[in-house]
Amino acid sequence: MENSIIENLKELKELKKRNFDESIEVGINLKDVDMVDPKNRINEEIVLPAGRGKDLKVAVIASEEMRTKAKNADYLYSVEDLNNFSDNKKSFKKIVKGIDFFVAESTLMGNVGKNLGIILGPRGKMPKPLPPGQDPSALIENLKKSVRARSRDKITFHVPIGTKAMSNEDLFTNLNTVLKRIISHLDKGKGNIASAYIKSTMSKAITINLGDIE
């Protein structure tokens, strides 16, 4: 018998077609979890095995040596740029909107935190630190396949798992990875999940059976 979640994904794709490649996400409703306590909140970056199905933007803030190695970065910023951002935070807020992840040379993290943390922190975009001179290419590659699972203080939250253009099998692989990671952080595992569903950007929600999570 075929996995019922695969059938749910097929059903989702058969709904009204749009003239763009819609994102697909999983919605999770928690139960019996005290979200007032920060230690119970979900805040994870998860690498999707089948990728995101779309191009994510990664920026590197580093010395010239590290920037030279960051061949697969979308944006490269120097110490001078960092200082300019500190002086013009309004402009930096606009830049942050178009960037999914940041990487920074570890020696610059204090500067980033002090001057830009107020912008990056609440958006979950504080940079990933790397030692001076290290090649950031592998980290950038992983970030381009990553998603953030952030519940904040809410019992309901959503996590992207790909796009409609991806195969059902790849979407299920990503979904399975996301849910397993979240379940591993809950005291009662699946017992702390009231329900879960999948939906695309413009579609209705379709409830899924957590029993099919491997």
Side-chain angles (χ1 to χ4, degrees):
M1 181 177 178
E2 191 165 272
N3 186 303
S4 66
I5 296 179
I6 296 288
E7 291 298 323
N8 294 148
L9 288 165
K10 288 179 180 178
E11 179 185 350
L12 186 63
K13 288 187 176 183
E14 289 169 358
L15 298 175
K16 185 176 180 179
K17 300 291 190 295
R18 307 289 175 173
N19 59 0
F20 66 98
D21 187 18
E22 294 179 71
S23 293
I24 294 179
E25 62 183 25
V26 57
I28 299 153
N29 297 311
L30 300 178
K31 65 178 181 180
D32 302 326
V33 180
D34 179 12
M35 304 306 284
V36 174
D37 188 342
K39 73 179 178 62
N40 292 328
R41 299 173 188 173
I42 305 295
N43 187 13
E44 292 287 310
E45 281 181 9
I46 305 169
V47 178
L48 300 182
R52 285 288 299 267
K54 66 177 184 178
D55 185 32
L56 297 187
K57 304 299 182 184
V58 179
V60 173
I61 305 171
S63 63
E64 183 177 358
E65 180 185 359
M66 183 177 287
R67 296 199 310 272
T68 301
K69 296 175 181 178
K71 305 293 186 183
N72 52 347
D74 298 284
Y75 303 96
L76 298 171
Y77 298 119
S78 65
V79 176
E80 184 178 4
D81 292 321
L82 181 56
N83 293 332
N84 289 335
F85 293 152
S86 299
D87 294 335
N88 192 345
K89 291 184 173 59
K90 186 175 181 180
S91 173
F92 184 63
K93 285 181 181 180
K94 294 179 181 179
I95 291 172
V96 171
K97 285 183 180 180
I99 297 174
D100 298 283
F101 294 99
F102 285 82
V103 174
E105 199 156 353
S106 57
T107 52
L108 300 178
M109 285 298 292
N111 190 335
V112 172
K114 179 181 178 181
N115 296 295
L116 301 175
I118 193 171
I119 297 172
L120 295 171
R123 293 165 174 78
K125 294 186 179 183
M126 284 297 290
K128 297 296 179 187
L130 277 181
Q134 185 168 326
D135 187 342
S137 300
L139 175 58
I140 293 170
E141 183 179 350
N142 273 343
L143 289 175
K144 284 178 173 287
K145 298 188 294 183
S146 297
V147 291
R148 288 188 182 85
R150 298 184 77 203
S151 65
R152 300 181 189 271
D153 59 350
K154 310 299 182 185
I155 61 170
T156 299
F157 59 100
H158 303 83
V159 185
I161 60 169
T163 70
K164 270 193 172 183
M166 296 172 65
S167 72
N168 296 325
E169 290 72 21
D170 281 348
L171 287 168
F172 174 74
T173 297
N174 286 348
L175 173 64
N176 195 60
T177 298
V178 168
L179 286 176
K180 282 176 67 177
R181 175 74 74 84
I182 291 169
I183 288 168
S184 73
H185 283 271
L186 299 172
D187 288 342
K188 297 179 181 177
K190 292 180 183 179
N192 283 130
I193 299 181
S195 62
Y197 56 88
I198 52 173
K199 69 179 296 296
S200 66
T201 306
M202 306 291 288
S203 80
K204 67 178 183 180
I206 297 176
T207 302
I208 60 174
N209 178 12
L210 290 177
D212 284 331
I213 297 302
E214 299 172 352

